[in-house]
Every structure is written in C-alpha cells, then in structure tokens.
Amino acid sequence: MGKVIVITSGKGGVGKTTSTANLGTALAMIERTVVIIDADVGLRNLDVVMGLESRVVYTSMDVIEKRCDLDKALVKDRRVEDLMLLAASQRNRKDDIKPEQMQEICEKLKQEYDFVLIDSPAGIEQGFHNAAAGADEAIIVTTPDVSAIRDADRIIGLLQHQGINSINLVLNRLSPTLVKNGNMMGKNEVLDILNIDLLGVVPEDTGVIASTNRGVPLVHSEGSPGAEAYMRIARRMTGQRIPIPEMQEENFFANLLNWFSRNK
Amino acid sequence: MENPIVKLRGYKDGLHLIINPKVSLNEVEAAIHELLDGMNQPLAGTSINIDMRPSPLSSEDLKNLETYLTENYDLVVSGVNVFDEKDESPILAAPATHSISQSLTNDNQPDFEQSQIVRQTIRSGQTTSCLSGSVVIYGDVNPGGEVVAAGDIIVLGALRGNAHAGVHGRLSSVIIAMELVPLQLQIGSYMNRPPVGQKPRGYPEIARVGAEDIIIVEEFIKF
Ligand SMILES: Nc1ncnc2c1ncn2[C@@H]1O[C@H](COP(=O)(O)OP(=O)(O)O)[C@@H](O)[C@H]1O
Ligand SMILES: [Mg+2]
C-alpha cells in the first residue's frame, strides 16, 4: 500500500506546484508508481507545469460526480512511465468538493500506487482542508522569508491538529549568496522556528521558470542544481539516506564563478 | 555578561539607561561605549531615559552625558529620573527572586496553582490558555502563537509570539523563557513590546512588573 502526501504551504507562490511536479516526476524516474493530484480547484496549473494541459479530459470533479471512473480520469505523463495526473476542475470552486470525497479518491489510489502527491492550494480554508483530508503525511514547502515561514507554521499546527504527524520540510529558493551576506534566513534559522524534519533544500534556480514555461519539469534537465536537489529529495522519500549537502557545495560553485570573474 | 556600570532596559515607556551611582562620568561614558558598541542593532534615533539614584554626577556631568549620547549614538534623551533610596528604581531595587518567591509562598489562594504542562510548540494561530494557574511549555511559542495564564508562564524554549501572564490581574505573575524574543508581553494590564528584530541574548530571561508599573525584563538567574 502506498503513501498519500499533501504538499502544502499556507502562502501562495512558494513552490508547491513546482515541488509536486518535480517530486512526482523524480519518484517515477526512480521507478515508483505515482499519481499527482491537483487540488487547486478553480486555479489549476499542475497540468500546465507538467505539459499535460491538452490531454486533460476529465477532472476529479467528474470522478466525484460519477461522470467517469477514477482510472479513466488519470492522465498518463508524456515522458515517464507510471506517472499519472488527476487534474482539478477549472470551472468549479474549492467548496464544491467535500473532504470525504477527496479521502475516498486517495484511499482508492494508494491501493494501487506507491505515492500519491497532492498539490494543495494556498490558504487555510476549505481548499486546504480538502487537499489534506486524505493525506497520511505532509511536505511543507516554504521559502526563507518571514511571512512564508509564519504561514508554514500555521499550517503545521493545523495538520497536527488533524492527526498528521509525519510532516517534513522542503526549503525552496534558498540563495546561498544572500544567506552568506546576511540578507536571507539560513536553513538552520528556518528549522529553529518550524522545528520539523528537513527533507531537503532547493536552491534558487532560474531553470525552474524556464522549465515551468516549457511544461517540462526541471528534473528532466539533469545536472541543474534544482534538478539535483529534487532528485535527492525523491530518494529520501523512498527511505534512502542521503545527506543534505551543506552550502559549501553551492558556495564552491559561487567561488568558482568568482574566480572566473576575477581572472577575466 | 552584565555591564556593572550601565544597564539598558526596554520598559513600557521606552528605553532606559540605568546608571550605577558610585561612578564618575568618565567611567559611565566608557561603560556606555562598551555596551552600545557591542549591540547588534543600531539605536540611532531612539529616545532614551536615564535612571539613577542620587549620584555623584553633577548636573553639568548629566548635560555632558546627554551630549555624549546624542553626539555619539544619535539618541534622544527624553528624561532623567533620579530615584531616592526609598522610592527605588525597579531594576536597582527588586531582587531577581522577589516576585517569584512571593508567588510560590502565596497560599491564600489555595487552588490557584491548577497549572498546566504543554508538551508541544505553540505555533502561529494557536492559543494555549490556563485560566486556573500557571503554564509550562516544553517547546517554543512561535510568532502568531499565544499563551495566556492566570499565573506564570514558563517557556522551556523560545518565546517568539505573545504571552499574557496574570490575566485576571495577578501582577506578581512572571514570564520566563529560555529565549525571550516575544512580539508582545503582557502581565495583568501592563504591556511590553520589545524592539522589532531583537536577537536572542543567549541566556534565559524573566519579565515581571516592577515597582514603576512597567514590565521589566532581565536575565533569569534562579528562583
Ligand atoms: N527553486 C526555484 N527557483 C526559482 N524559481 C522558482 C523556484 N521554485 C518556484 N519558482 C517559481 O515561483 C513561482 C511560483 O511557484 P509555484 O510552484 O507555482 O508556487 P505555488 O504552487 O506554491 O503557488 C513560479 O513562477 C516558479 O517558477
Ligand atoms: Mg500552485
């Protein structure tokens, strides 16, 4: 039996959809069977980021309202085997779905797939509750800024209240240079406040935007810092022990660039 | 850790510079230099009070001191308070153990201490309240989180959110935290809002109401 993991944050724009797309793809690349669910009803975009927009025929709303079977609503990824997308309805609103209905979908899917990842909408209202309703675990995505962390903290409290105790952190858009200059909170400062386990750190990577626009998740661009980070996180999700690199690794890169610019 | 000659305290009405009476102007200026230069946040533009007992500093000395603070640190001296021996300044007067031992031995409120232990971090949006006594938190209180107690509040972690001790008016209540960097502290009806962005000091601190009806924060040594 698989695991249902909600990917959530409280604040919008911190990288939930990016993380869902990349972790889903990465897990499928290391031979796990995966469904990613867009729970951002009304503002769906996981299909766009995955480059599957044109293939979406049915959505979770159609499943709930029994217009089609769950299996039939799943869209197969174009690039990797065993990766499916369940899209969100664009026409509906977040409170058109009830937590029990999401739960039912998740229950069914985890019988067949290793991982069910749910891309949660921002906020703490109905949409968030629906997204979290069927989850066994949670991944909190935050950027290293005070307001995102405050919202993440709020969400952690709500998840714990709901009985979800396995909550891990993905720290996104960390910029080693900014941290070094004291202009951005570092990993440890964030962990100090949120006090949950760190699943991984994804650096600020301009490749993310390009990949989002092309509809090809970044993990397909082997070697980019963001892709490497998501691959490591996916491996940790499968239970592999992979150390979280300290920032020197990235500093090394920055130093190298520095060296080049000094020797031009 | 504490500078023996001058202390800087944030009270309800702003910053206070508390001066040991038994020193000369030169020593005071040197001590101020050491204290303020060692701080991790600039105070420029802040207004400040000077608190002291009747002291050897002449009024000319005091003028010089004001000029020194203004010229070197851009501080605005908003008042000079001289406390005589009886009517003591809260900091100079009250021993750190004062209000706690009082509350522990105060048994004319028999079932007051129906206290509560909370074994988790209080996160943003969460409130813990103990309206029958004191509360001990085995964790942090994060920004946006709130703890309310009829008695004392003890945080065995970082207090970064809001704490309101003595909600029913017991002014001998105290707030103690391993790291005291709150957004707001309240004891009874008194409030204290530390400067924004204050860094943890690296030692536990205690907040309580001093003789001047203001919340005093200082290093917590022992009960
Ligand atoms: N690591 C990153 N580096 C650079 N840009 C990023 C990174 N992660 C996300 N972004 C960008 O931030 C924006 C918001 O990301 P998205 O995943 O849609 O957030 P959410 O789903 O939380 O609202 C997108 O434009 C995305 O390309
Ligand atoms: Mg999104």
Side-chain angles (χ1 to χ4, degrees):
Chain A
M1 181 135 92
K3 270 185 200 168
V4 181
I5 305 176
V6 62
I7 297 181
T8 184
S9 70
K11 192 166 187 238
V14 297
K16 294 177 293 293
T17 301
T18 305
S19 297
T20 309
N22 280 289
L23 292 177
T25 307
L27 285 165
M29 285 162 78
I30 54 176
E31 278 152 23
R32 298 305 193 281
T33 56
V34 184
V35 183
I36 53 180
I37 301 181
D38 192 344
D40 205 345
V41 176
L43 284 173
R44 78 180 204 200
N45 50 31
L46 187 56
D47 54 335
V48 182
V49 173
M50 293 298 295
L52 295 173
E53 198 179 6
S54 64
R55 302 195 179 193
V56 175
V57 181
Y58 298 108
T59 67
S60 51
M61 208 66 217
D62 297 311
V63 178
I64 287 165
E65 293 179 345
K66 307 226 159 30
R67 283 189 287 271
C68 84
D69 284 345
L70 180 53
D71 282 339
K72 211 172 151 198
L74 299 179
V75 181
K76 250 174 93 55
D77 186 57
R78 289 194 284 161
R79 299 177 185 84
V80 243
E81 282 289 298
D82 292 325
L83 174 59
M84 304 294 209
L85 165 76
L86 180 59
S89 159
Q90 187 73 295
R91 290 188 307 275
N92 289 79
R93 294 153 45 93
K94 296 188 170 44
D95 34 15
D96 291 343
I97 295 187
K98 290 189 185 64
E100 305 81 64
Q101 298 169 326
M102 270 300 277
Q103 234 168 340
E104 200 183 316
I105 292 178
C106 293
E107 277 309 312
K108 276 190 197 148
L109 290 173
K110 75 175 173 187
Q111 309 296 327
E112 276 179 63
Y113 292 85
D114 297 328
F115 285 93
V116 179
L117 306 185
I118 303 170
D119 180 18
S120 155
I124 55 172
E125 294 82 17
Q126 181 78 38
F128 158 73
H129 287 291
N130 287 339
D136 307 309
E137 298 182 7
I139 291 177
I140 302 288
V141 181
T142 189
T143 48
D145 65 276
V146 179
S147 64
I149 292 167
R150 181 80 60 94
D151 291 357
D153 194 50
R154 177 97 169 91
I155 289 284
I156 296 168
L158 293 174
L159 290 167
Q160 285 172 337
H161 185 75
Q162 194 191 305
I164 298 182
N165 290 313
S166 172
I167 304 175
N168 293 289
L169 183 70
V170 167
L171 181 54
N172 191 21
R173 307 194 74 161
L174 195 83
S175 159
T177 342
L178 289 183
V179 174
K180 227 168 95 188
N181 300 341
N183 292 322
M184 185 182 269
M185 267 195 235
K187 179 182 77 178
N188 293 336
E189 275 172 277
V190 177
L191 287 176
D192 204 35
I193 294 182
L194 294 182
N195 201 11
I196 56 176
D197 289 332
L198 181 65
L199 191 56
V201 177
V202 181
E204 175 73 23
D205 184 341
T206 45
V208 171
I209 297 146
S211 86
T212 303
N213 291 341
R214 277 187 296 136
V216 184
L218 185 68
V219 287
H220 287 292
S221 328
E222 216 179 302
S224 90
E228 298 292 309
Y230 276 121
M231 286 310 300
R232 281 195 295 268
I233 294 172
R235 289 184 198 282
R236 287 186 201 111
M237 289 169 74
T238 66
Q240 286 185 44
R241 288 174 173 277
I242 297 184
I244 292 173
E246 282 303 321
M247 285 202 317
Q248 280 95 310
E249 187 183 272
E250 288 123 17
N251 280 346
F252 167 68
F253 209 69
N255 290 341
L256 205 68
L257 286 178
N258 249 330
W259 187 84
F260 275 125
S261 54
R262 263 190 284 115
N263 289 279
K264 256 203 302 245
Chain B
M1 212 171 306
E2 281 268 355
N3 189 311
I5 300 175
V6 292
K7 294 184 170 109
L8 195 62
R9 288 290 184 265
Y11 293 170
K12 198 182 175 191
D13 63 345
L15 280 179
H16 286 239
L17 191 69
I18 298 151
I19 298 175
N20 183 323
K22 295 176 197 65
V23 291
S24 70
L25 180 65
N26 277 347
E27 286 174 286
V28 172
E29 288 186 352
I32 288 173
H33 175 70
E34 194 186 323
L35 180 75
L36 296 187
D37 284 9
M39 291 191 40
N40 52 13
Q41 69 195 77
L43 293 173
T46 322
S47 71
I48 195 164
N49 281 274
I50 296 174
D51 293 2
M52 57 186 187
R53 304 228 192 140
S55 80
L57 296 193
S58 65
S59 52
E60 198 185 333
D61 281 348
L62 273 175
K63 275 225 174 60
N64 288 336
L65 185 61
E66 284 194 40
T67 318
Y68 177 79
L69 288 169
T70 313
E71 286 184 357
N72 292 286
Y73 298 97
D74 200 10
L75 292 168
V76 183
V77 177
S78 53
V80 177
N81 315 308
V82 179
F83 297 90
D84 63 38
E85 303 295 334
K86 288 166 271 120
D87 174 28
E88 283 167 323
S89 141
I91 273 290
L92 295 167
T97 54
H98 174 71
S99 56
I100 298 176
S101 49
Q102 186 184 48
S103 68
L104 287 180
T105 53
N106 193 350
D107 40 23
N108 54 8
Q109 289 160 301
D111 51 5
F112 184 75
E113 292 291 334
Q114 275 290 342
S115 297
Q116 195 183 336
I117 287 179
V118 179
R119 290 173 201 277
Q120 67 176 52
T121 286
I122 311 300
R123 297 184 182 276
S124 176
Q126 297 179 329
T127 299
T128 279
S129 56
C130 179
L131 299 180
S132 54
S134 300
V135 62
V136 181
I137 302 195
Y138 293 6
D140 302 332
V141 178
N142 279 349
E146 183 186 36
V147 186
V148 176
D152 303 330
I153 293 173
I154 318 265
V155 181
L156 297 172
L159 173 50
R160 307 184 182 100
N162 295 359
H164 190 171
V167 267
H168 301 320
R170 193 183 73 154
L171 293 181
S172 60
S173 303
V174 297
I175 299 170
I176 299 173
M178 296 298 114
E179 248 180 45
L180 192 67
V181 281
L183 292 174
Q184 276 180 14
L185 292 180
Q186 258 179 283
I187 298 177
S189 55
Y190 298 113
M191 183 182 287
N192 175 307
R193 232 189 314 261
V196 185
Q198 184 186 310
K199 293 271 185 302
R201 290 183 216 282
Y203 50 79
E205 289 186 290
I206 176 170
R208 59 199 162 75
V209 178
E212 294 291 292
D213 287 350
I214 42 185
I215 296 182
I216 302 166
V217 175
E218 61 190 343
E219 181 171 8
F220 173 68
I221 315 274
K222 67 182 174 78
F223 275 106

